Amino acid sequence: MLFPVADFQPEGLAAAIIEWSQKEFSIPPVAFATSFDPATNRFVFNWQSHQRPPGAEARRKRPARDLRGRPLPDE
């Protein structure tokens, strides 16, 4: 991405992408707050920490075959 000479904060781009993707793809909202810190002359973004709902463990399923279709050895 090209940006004109300006005050730029990468966190602001992340916030814009989150807002756009929520509208474009109907993604559930992500809570974040934005405030301006005059002492540092920067915007401050407070992101919602990710928490899994109770009983929602991450499960990884091991593939049975490699990319060429050959069976993988059992571990």
Side-chain angles (χ1 to χ4, degrees), residues 59-72:
R59 296 184 183 156
R60 296 174 70 184
K61 188 171 182 179
R62 186 175 175 279
R65 300 183 182 278
D66 66 12
L67 294 175
R68 294 184 177 167
R70 296 178 296 211
L72 293 171

Side-chain angles (χ1 to χ4, degrees), residues 3 18-19 23 25 27-28 32 39 45 48-49 58 67 69 74:
F3 297 96
I18 289 170
E19 294 241 348
K23 292 175 186 173
F25 303 110
I27 295 173
F32 66 93
F45 297 89
Q48 172 188 16
S49 63
L67 294 175
D74 291 334

Side-chain angles (χ1 to χ4, degrees), residues 11-35:
E11 302 89 355
L13 184 58
I17 290 171
I18 289 170
E19 294 241 348
W20 170 81
S21 61
Q22 289 172 355
K23 292 175 186 173
E24 187 68 23
F25 303 110
S26 301
I27 295 173
V30 174
F32 66 93
T34 307
S35 59

